[in-house]
Amino acid sequence: LDEAGKRGVDKDTMTEMQAIVKRVQRGRRAEAKADVKLRGLLYTEDVQELSEQLELVRERPEMLGPAAQKTLCEIEDKVFRKAQEEQHQKWLETELEAAAADLSCDKRRLQQLIDQARNLSLVVPPWVFAKINGPWEEDAKSSPSRAPAKEAKDPKSRMEAFAKRAEEKAVATLDEFDPNEPTIDDLLDAKKAVEGAKHKKVPEEAMQKLQNRLARIEMTF
């Protein structure tokens, strides 16, 4: 703007240029603010809250600049990992309760599940250790109990939703590829989208279609 003023650009043009600069600056400040808020979510461990916040963010994509988009991907990966952990934990608790309910079951089954839990970094409820160390037959007081919890989305459903979203994103990226004007950046974007779909556990059949489309794109180079 200073240089334009020195060169004698007319007043109306200068006013228009100043307005454009202000809009750009406001946009950048909004993007920076959105990124700061998103990065704060990286320290949240509540998967349900993270999922809800992600849905709110997706309703205003125009607020997300490159940095915020990158942070959003990090949060989605974190929610996906947490959903996997929840699914594993749910499986463990179901198996433990089944083993404890079967009076004819050997305590070795509980020990096996404990070992699996350690390998997967899962939490073993205290009652399991009491079950192994104490008498096998115990009254109802020894059975697992859970504190009331707020209703949350099932981990499997959450993972399926992430897979579906990753598949849609990959399809959209592949659709945007122009074989008449192929660029390396477009190819890298396509590869990244397909890898993201694979990471989010997109069903095998859908994954195969994505990989086939990517292979055809790679043949244009």
Side-chain angles (χ1 to χ4, degrees):
L1 289 177
D2 291 340
E3 186 63 26
K6 293 177 182 179
R7 292 179 178 274
V9 175
D10 64 87
K11 184 177 180 181
D12 290 340
T13 301
M14 285 292 295
T15 300
E16 184 178 349
M17 292 173 64
Q18 289 171 344
I20 292 173
V21 169
K22 288 181 179 179
R23 285 199 298 271
V24 171
Q25 290 175 336
R26 284 197 298 270
R28 288 179 177 175
R29 285 196 295 270
E31 290 176 0
K33 187 176 180 180
D35 183 49
V36 170
K37 287 184 176 181
L38 284 174
R39 295 208 69 81
L41 292 177
L42 288 172
Y43 300 98
T44 301
E45 297 300 322
D46 189 321
V47 180
Q48 185 71 10
E49 181 181 348
L50 278 173
S51 298
E52 293 171 356
Q53 291 297 325
L54 282 178
E55 291 302 324
L56 292 176
V57 170
R58 292 192 187 98
E59 292 176 0
R60 301 190 65 187
E62 72 280 357
M63 299 294 293
L64 303 181
Q69 288 283 1
K70 182 179 179 181
T71 304
L72 182 63
C73 290
E74 292 179 29
I75 296 173
E76 288 179 337
D77 286 342
K78 178 175 181 177
V79 173
F80 183 77
R81 291 194 303 271
K82 287 288 185 181
Q84 281 186 313
E85 291 173 6
E86 283 186 4
Q87 190 176 33
H88 291 156
Q89 184 69 39
K90 187 175 181 180
W91 166 84
L92 173 67
E93 293 176 0
T94 300
E95 290 295 314
L96 287 170
E97 291 174 13
D102 186 358
L103 297 180
S104 64
C105 179
D106 196 308
K107 293 183 181 180
R108 284 178 297 181
R109 174 57 179 160
L110 287 177
Q111 188 60 57
Q112 289 173 351
L113 290 169
I114 291 174
D115 293 338
Q116 285 181 281
R118 286 170 178 160
N119 292 333
L120 294 172
S121 299
L122 301 177
V123 178
V124 177
W127 66 264
V128 177
F129 297 102
K131 196 76 162 175
I132 290 179
N133 297 328
W136 184 248
E137 294 82 6
E138 298 182 12
D139 58 22
K141 294 181 181 179
S142 66
S143 60
S145 59
R146 295 188 180 87
K150 63 178 182 180
E151 186 177 351
K153 193 173 183 179
D154 180 72
K156 183 178 179 181
S157 299
R158 188 181 291 116
M159 291 176 66
E160 289 174 349
F162 270 99
K164 183 64 176 176
R165 191 173 292 113
E167 180 185 352
E168 292 173 350
K169 181 178 180 180
V171 169
T173 303
L174 294 172
D175 286 344
E176 292 174 359
F177 183 82
D178 186 356
N180 298 317
E181 297 182 7
T183 67
I184 294 298
D185 286 341
D186 289 340
L187 174 61
L188 293 177
D189 287 343
K191 286 185 174 181
K192 183 178 179 181
V194 173
E195 283 298 317
K198 184 178 180 181
H199 175 65
K200 295 297 193 306
K201 308 295 184 184
V202 168
E204 185 176 348
E205 183 178 352
M207 195 67 229
Q208 187 62 54
K209 291 181 180 178
L210 293 174
Q211 290 172 332
N212 289 343
R213 291 188 63 182
L214 177 61
R216 289 195 292 272
I217 287 175
E218 290 175 327
M219 291 176 63
T220 62
F221 288 85

